Amino acid sequence: MSRSLNRRTFLASSAAAATGIALPQAAEARTSSASHPLAVPDIEVREAARQDPTEATVAEAVVLMRGGKLTSAALTQAYLERIAAYGSTYQAYAEVTGDAALAAARRADRRGGAHGILKGIPLCIKDNYFTAGVPTRCNSFIFQDFVPDHDATAVARLTAAGGIVLGKGQMGPLATTRATTPDGTVTTVNAWTPDDPSVDPGGSSTGPACAVAGRMAASSIGTQTGGSIVLPSNQQNLTGLKPTMGRVSIHGVIPLSYTRDHSGPLARDAMDAAIMMSVMAGPDPKDPRTLGLPAVPDLIRSATPVVSRGGTVRMRRAVRVGVPADFLASASDVRKAFLDTLDGISGVTLVDVTYPADWALLTGTFNAARLSERTEPFRHWLQEDPAKFGVSLLSWLQGLMISGDEWITAQRAKNHLLREVLDGVMAHCDVLLQTGPVPFDILGLPELAFPAGFTDGIPQGVILGGQPYEEDRLLEVAAAYQAVTDWHTRRPADPAPHQGLSRQAPAARPRLTAEEAAAASA
């Protein structure tokens, strides 16, 4: 599929989504998911993963199981033991389905042979995805008694591929802020600072991120409306992939914004992100945003680094990496070292890019239009009992205050911004380094977060944005970078036993005010 055709399809799809309709069914080749078979390559397993299965990436665990060196039951039990030991400190899970997960793991071990690329792999699912028979509270008073009778499409695809639901990941109330209780008391911590809950763990997918970073799940899935896949990944040393709008179905996900909700993995490296995305992506008749799009490329191949016989890493395809002028404005030491390393990989060309003059206006002021879109499906509850929105109420009320003409103006501004990104900023590069999730987040373009170093013990990552449906390009860059660095293999130290929350007063966790929650809202 050519870039120009991808561009036209994306523009048509974005326009259709904004009006709540689907693209017409296109040619069969454009409505089918990847036709290539999904398989994990025989990668080399690190010694640390051989010694401790909770250390293993998804790919390493698959290789170990395939070689008879690990069972799903042993892996699942190891994760459950860490949840029991450290769960009260991390508070990464809203619900742990330990008995069901162990039963599924034993069935996977008895089954033997091939049964899906994720056979026997325990996963953490963000608590806004429907999970049949398991509470799905979205960390809100509104859904506190909700137990779905079916799985979200993404969850159904992961389990059909052999994945095991280990539990539901803690999240911000209705996916608006970092994880707190519905009334604002901080729950999930950054896995790298378990004794300091004031350190930002990222956006609303902090539970799934902490579960993977704290070695309490092999991988996880989250959602992103305002940065909640890439930011927790950056904050907790993970590789998170927010795909192009429509790549993954959001059917069965409690909504926040129809034109901006995305589903994607928070994983340990580019290969794991590719494996998870390969399973999750593809058309779903229950989500019209996914129909009529280009086929999913071979993401696993893209995440496999190209290494010469002499051990030199090179790009699978030559790539021009756009570097905006403000890229070194923060975490400059880490980012400068990142650029130096990237520039040393054969096939990479760094290109300076310049933002248009109205960049700050288009990516800032008009971003508030998202609030009315997310308020719309919740008006019933706002009228019935505003108290059910807990600490996040102000941001929902703000959505009611945006007039129709303001919303239309914002949509025009969004279209203008999209042209400036595709025809301007991206005209001279294949991928673009970003300083935050915006504007690719706003526009529905793909972006990938991955580790690049540390500052004072806190992970520092970078975010790479791409052209429509070019998740493969992003993975190629991250895979090459991770082949010559080891930031992504570093894990946080375990919390000290005495630091468990069960031995602390509840007041040890800070509480967000309504104003703070509104300011931080996705």
Side-chain angles (χ1 to χ4, degrees):
M1 186 73 65
S2 71
R3 180 169 288 172
S4 62
L5 187 53
N6 280 357
R7 183 182 187 279
R8 290 200 297 272
T9 302
F10 179 76
L11 293 174
S13 176
S14 297
T19 56
I21 62 174
L23 284 180
Q25 290 285 339
E28 182 64 24
R30 297 177 58 203
T31 57
S32 60
S33 57
S35 57
H36 48 271
L38 298 182
V40 174
D42 285 319
I43 63 167
E44 183 177 346
V45 178
R46 294 167 301 127
E47 183 59 27
R50 293 183 184 277
Q51 296 298 321
D52 179 355
T54 67
E55 170 68 29
T57 64
V58 169
E60 287 175 327
V62 169
V63 170
L64 288 172
M65 288 185 193
R66 198 157 56 199
K69 306 296 184 184
L70 177 67
T71 66
S72 175
L75 180 60
T76 304
Q77 183 62 46
Y79 284 131
L80 289 174
E81 288 174 359
R82 287 190 61 80
I83 293 171
Y86 306 117
S88 61
T89 297
Y90 289 129
Q91 298 195 40
Y93 281 93
E95 191 84 20
V96 178
T97 53
D99 291 342
L102 269 177
R106 290 172 182 136
R107 286 196 299 273
D109 290 335
R110 287 195 299 270
R111 187 175 294 119
H115 181 70
I117 191 172
L118 290 173
K119 177 190 168 188
I121 300 298
L123 305 171
C124 175
I125 308 298
K126 189 175 179 179
D127 199 28
N128 55 351
Y129 286 86
F130 284 23
T131 42
V134 179
T136 299
R137 304 183 182 94
C138 205
N139 200 8
S140 168
F141 295 127
I142 295 173
F143 299 102
Q144 60 185 350
D145 299 318
F146 179 51
V147 181
D149 60 3
H150 64 280
D151 287 335
T153 297
V155 175
R157 289 180 174 177
L158 291 170
T159 55
I164 293 172
V165 176
L166 194 53
K168 304 298 291 290
Q170 188 60 275
M171 58 181 289
L174 294 169
T176 52
T177 66
R178 67 175 291 182
T180 71
T181 61
D183 65 357
T185 300
V186 166
T187 53
T188 312
V189 295
N190 187 322
W192 290 81
T193 60
D195 56 344
D196 186 358
S198 68
V199 175
D200 184 9
S204 69
S205 303
T206 46
C210 184
V212 179
R215 293 187 287 128
M216 296 178 289
S219 193
S220 67
I221 59 172
T223 53
Q224 175 162 324
T225 306
S228 290
I229 289 176
V230 295
L231 292 179
S233 296
N234 273 176
Q235 291 292 105
Q236 303 200 48
N237 211 46
L238 301 176
T239 300
L241 176 56
K242 184 207 82 68
T244 311
M245 185 187 69
R247 264 289 188 232
V248 178
S249 170
I250 58 169
H251 173 72
V253 178
I254 294 174
L256 192 56
S257 169
Y258 184 72
T259 63
R260 290 179 51 166
D261 285 348
H262 297 79
S263 173
L266 296 90
R268 290 186 177 163
D269 61 14
M271 175 58 75
D272 281 9
I275 294 170
M276 294 284 285
M277 182 55 64
S278 297
V279 173
M280 297 166 69
D284 175 14
K286 296 175 182 176
D287 181 357
R289 305 187 328 160
T290 67
L291 304 178
L293 306 183
V296 182
D298 189 341
L299 301 177
I300 295 176
R301 180 174 182 269
S302 299
T304 303
V306 180
V307 185
S308 71
R309 290 184 178 179
T312 302
V313 174
R314 64 174 174 81
M315 290 302 304
R316 184 169 296 279
R317 291 177 288 179
V319 61
R320 299 166 299 167
V321 180
V323 184
D326 61 349
F327 182 67
L328 298 177
S330 62
S332 57
D333 290 345
V334 168
R335 291 184 176 185
K336 186 175 186 310
F338 167 80
L339 289 178
D340 291 342
T341 301
L342 200 62
D343 196 31
I345 298 174
S346 177
V348 172
T349 301
L350 301 183
V351 179
D352 291 332
V353 298
T354 304
Y355 294 141
D358 53 0
W359 188 257
L361 175 66
L362 292 174
T363 58
T365 303
F366 290 112
N367 195 18
R370 74 195 189 284
L371 299 176
S372 58
E373 187 176 330
R374 76 182 203 186
T375 296
E376 185 269 337
F378 285 88
R379 283 184 300 178
H380 163 73
W381 286 289
L382 281 169
Q383 293 172 340
E384 181 183 88
D385 185 2
K388 289 184 176 180
F389 289 81
V391 71
S392 67
L393 176 61
L394 285 182
S395 62
W396 298 92
L397 294 177
Q398 287 173 330
L400 292 175
M401 303 302 149
I402 295 175
S403 64
D405 62 304
E406 289 176 305
W407 189 86
I408 291 172
T409 300
Q411 298 312 305
R412 289 175 175 166
K414 179 179 176 180
N415 289 332
H416 181 64
L417 175 62
L418 180 57
R419 287 197 302 272
E420 289 198 332
V421 170
L422 294 181
D423 299 336
V425 176
M426 296 291 289
H428 305 291
C429 60
D430 302 300
V431 297
L432 176 70
L433 284 166
Q434 302 170 239
T435 55
V438 175
F440 285 64
D441 180 273
I442 296 174
L443 301 174
L445 295 169
E447 52 187 5
L448 178 72
F450 53 99
F454 292 82
T455 299
D456 298 329
I458 305 297
Q460 300 290 333
V462 295
I463 303 173
L464 204 58
Q467 303 272 358
Y469 313 113
E470 292 192 7
E471 291 84 3
D472 51 346
R473 282 273 189 184
L474 303 178
L475 289 165
E476 288 174 12
V477 176
Y481 179 76
Q482 292 181 345
V484 297
T485 59
D486 69 351
W487 304 117
H488 60 290
T489 67
R490 303 190 186 190
R491 310 282 185 255
D494 292 338
H498 69 276
Q499 292 174 334
L501 183 64
S502 59
R503 300 187 183 184
Q504 293 181 349
R509 299 289 169 117
R511 181 175 179 179
L512 298 184
T513 65
E515 292 79 8
E516 289 171 335
S521 182

